[in-house]
């Protein structure tokens, strides 16, 4: 008797996009970007450029605003004076995310 092993391989396409938002300090602009992110269910990863996040308090506030709008989104924001700043948003149903806090100078 020969044992047959059966397995199923499931692949998931990773869909990602990068977007230059040209600043998100204003509540209205930030809400427009966050609404778009919440509607973009197909995207696994979104990289936002030129966010102009200027402080840790703003970065925390943005994380809270986004997670309140869509709890499936995890985000990390760089910040600093005179830097463009970036944001990385990952749909948490896609993968387990562990952030590194070693980013320097808003890059």
């Amino acid at each position: 008797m020969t044992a047959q092993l059966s397995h199923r391989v499931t692949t998931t396409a990773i869909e990602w996009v990068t977007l230059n938002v040209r600043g998100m300090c204003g509540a209205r602009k930030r809400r427009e970007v966050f609404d778009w992110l919440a509607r973009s269910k197909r995207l696994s990863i979104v990289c936002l450029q030129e966010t102009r996040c200027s402080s840790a308090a703003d970065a925390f506030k943005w994380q809270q605003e986004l997670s309140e709008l869509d709890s499936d989104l995890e985000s990390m924001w760089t910040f600093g004076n005179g830097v463009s700043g970036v944001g990385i948003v990952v749909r948490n149903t896609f993968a387990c995310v562990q952030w590194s806090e070693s980013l320097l100078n808003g890059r």
Side-chain angles (χ1 to χ4, degrees):
M1 182 164 113
T2 305
Q4 291 188 354
L5 297 176
S6 173
H7 66 281
R8 179 178 168 178
V9 177
T10 303
T11 58
T12 302
I14 298 172
E15 301 226 8
W16 65 277
V17 66
T18 182
L19 177 66
N20 185 329
V21 294
R22 295 184 177 95
M24 292 188 0
C25 292
R28 181 176 175 194
K29 172 81 172 271
R30 196 167 51 254
R31 183 62 188 224
E32 288 174 2
V33 172
F34 288 175
D35 283 345
W36 176 80
L37 287 168
R39 287 190 314 268
S40 301
K41 301 291 185 190
R42 282 188 10 228
L43 297 175
S44 306
I45 303 167
V46 177
C47 301
L48 301 171
Q49 303 167 332
E50 292 188 34
T51 61
R52 302 217 170 78
C53 185
S54 61
S55 69
D58 283 344
F60 181 75
K61 177 181 168 184
W62 294 9
Q63 281 180 321
Q64 294 301 312
E65 287 176 0
L66 185 58
S67 67
E68 287 171 7
L69 185 64
D70 187 336
S71 62
D72 286 339
L73 295 175
E74 298 284 339
S75 63
M76 191 209 50
W77 309 90
T78 63
F79 55 88
N81 288 336
V83 296
S84 295
V86 296
I88 301 171
V89 180
V90 177
R91 190 156 295 281
N92 68 18
T93 54
F94 163 67
C96 177
V97 178
Q98 183 173 2
W99 299 113
S100 170
E101 302 273 339
S102 64
L103 298 175
L104 301 175
N105 298 325
R107 303 280 182 224

